[in-house]
Amino acid sequence: MERFDECLIDGDLLVYACVMAAEYGNEIEDVNLHEILNAIDSKIMNIKARLNASRVRLFFSGKGNFRFDVMPEYKANREFVIPPHYLAEAKLYCMHRWDGELEDGLEADDLMCLAQRYDDTTVICTIDKDMLQARGWHYRWETVHSGEKLQKVEGIGEVTCVIKQDSKGRNTKKIGGVGLKFFCLQLLTGDPVDGITGCATMTEKTRKTGKNAGEKYMSRDGVGPVEAYDTLASATTYSESLRRVIDLYKKEFGDEWEHHLLRQGRVLYMVKQRDEAGALQLWHWN
């Protein structure tokens, strides 16, 4: 492993994962908060040791989020999700025990990007794949689905297409990437988990068969992952990647392309800089 001055840890995800692991499938009276806090401390110390880091910085999302002003429907599908019982107590503990950092209006993702340096002295620690749009070192801790991974994002990054076989022997394509090319991929495909449509529109359709025949539902119509990959794979610069994205937005939205592109981009882009007055520098296509 490399040696780092600071490991920048996604407190939102780490704490949530530890609390959920303790509470899932259990009655709340059988869950021990002290054991949850010990598990959080152990996880943080393990990450610090694995990365030979001199210092730990733990980040949490603050109240509000500028993205809701840009796109009111952002994360609307999570509005009625009930958080784990001990989540608030665990976060409060971490704010004191680990000097947790937060800023109202920003997500933990933004704060990690603002703290990331490009001199190989810091490393972003999270299991959120979206963070791979940021340059520099990234560490993914081990989960039940995959092992730990340390990687460095350089230049404009890349988009990737991995072909796998499903249980029936059919080939499927898994599209991904890192860096600014990955951000351009996100501009096209959006993020359905967060209600971000990308280069597409939501249209009402009717189910034609099955027990739900006649039922109305909303469907995303637009650029899919494979088309997005094919569009960006051969681009060699960020400017070229962005021109190709803009061409598809013009095709999808006509004269309204810039309005839609700015909304998507400012929600998807992790804030990475402030100006001299300390104001956030939001993303712009130009």
Side-chain angles (χ1 to χ4, degrees), residues 48-198:
K48 183 175 184 288
R50 290 293 294 148
L51 296 171
N52 297 310
S54 302
R55 181 188 178 199
V56 166
R57 295 178 67 184
L58 196 64
F59 298 92
F60 293 97
S61 298
K63 294 180 181 178
N65 188 329
F66 77 88
R67 292 173 175 85
F68 295 132
D69 295 325
V70 177
M71 183 184 291
E73 63 269 31
Y74 177 62
K75 291 188 177 180
N77 55 343
R78 302 187 190 183
E79 184 178 356
F80 300 106
V81 175
I82 300 175
H85 181 79
Y86 283 119
L87 183 61
E89 288 92 334
K91 284 186 176 181
L92 182 61
Y93 167 81
C94 288
M95 289 298 296
H96 291 278
R97 169 68 177 84
W98 294 100
D99 295 322
E101 301 176 48
L102 58 77
E103 181 176 335
D104 290 347
L106 295 179
E107 297 182 0
D109 299 354
D110 302 308
L111 295 174
M112 286 188 288
C113 284
L114 287 166
Q116 177 83 310
R117 298 192 295 269
Y118 308 127
D119 57 0
D120 296 343
T121 61
T122 61
V123 52
I124 290 174
C125 307
T126 182
I127 54 175
D128 184 354
K129 65 175 179 56
D130 294 337
M131 287 300 300
L132 289 171
Q133 70 171 243
R135 287 193 297 130
W137 285 99
H138 292 260
Y139 173 75
R140 176 188 176 91
W141 59 78
E142 184 178 13
T143 68
V144 295
H145 301 293
S146 61
E148 66 174 350
K149 184 177 183 180
L150 179 67
Q151 67 183 110
K152 187 177 183 182
V153 177
E154 299 179 281
I156 66 164
E158 62 178 347
V159 289
T160 57
C161 177
V162 178
I163 299 177
K164 295 183 177 181
Q165 281 194 341
D166 62 19
S167 58
K168 296 182 179 180
R170 297 171 299 190
N171 287 337
T172 60
K173 294 181 178 180
K174 183 178 180 180
I175 308 299
V178 299
L180 287 172
K181 285 187 75 172
F182 176 53
F183 168 66
C184 288
L185 183 83
Q186 291 177 303
L187 286 174
L188 293 175
T189 62
D191 186 346
V193 174
D194 289 337
I196 305 171
T197 55

Side-chain angles (χ1 to χ4, degrees), residues 211-228:
K211 64 179 181 179
N212 295 322
E215 180 183 273
K216 302 290 184 181
Y217 68 100
M218 299 303 292
S219 176
R220 179 185 183 276
D221 284 337
V223 179
V226 175
E227 181 182 357

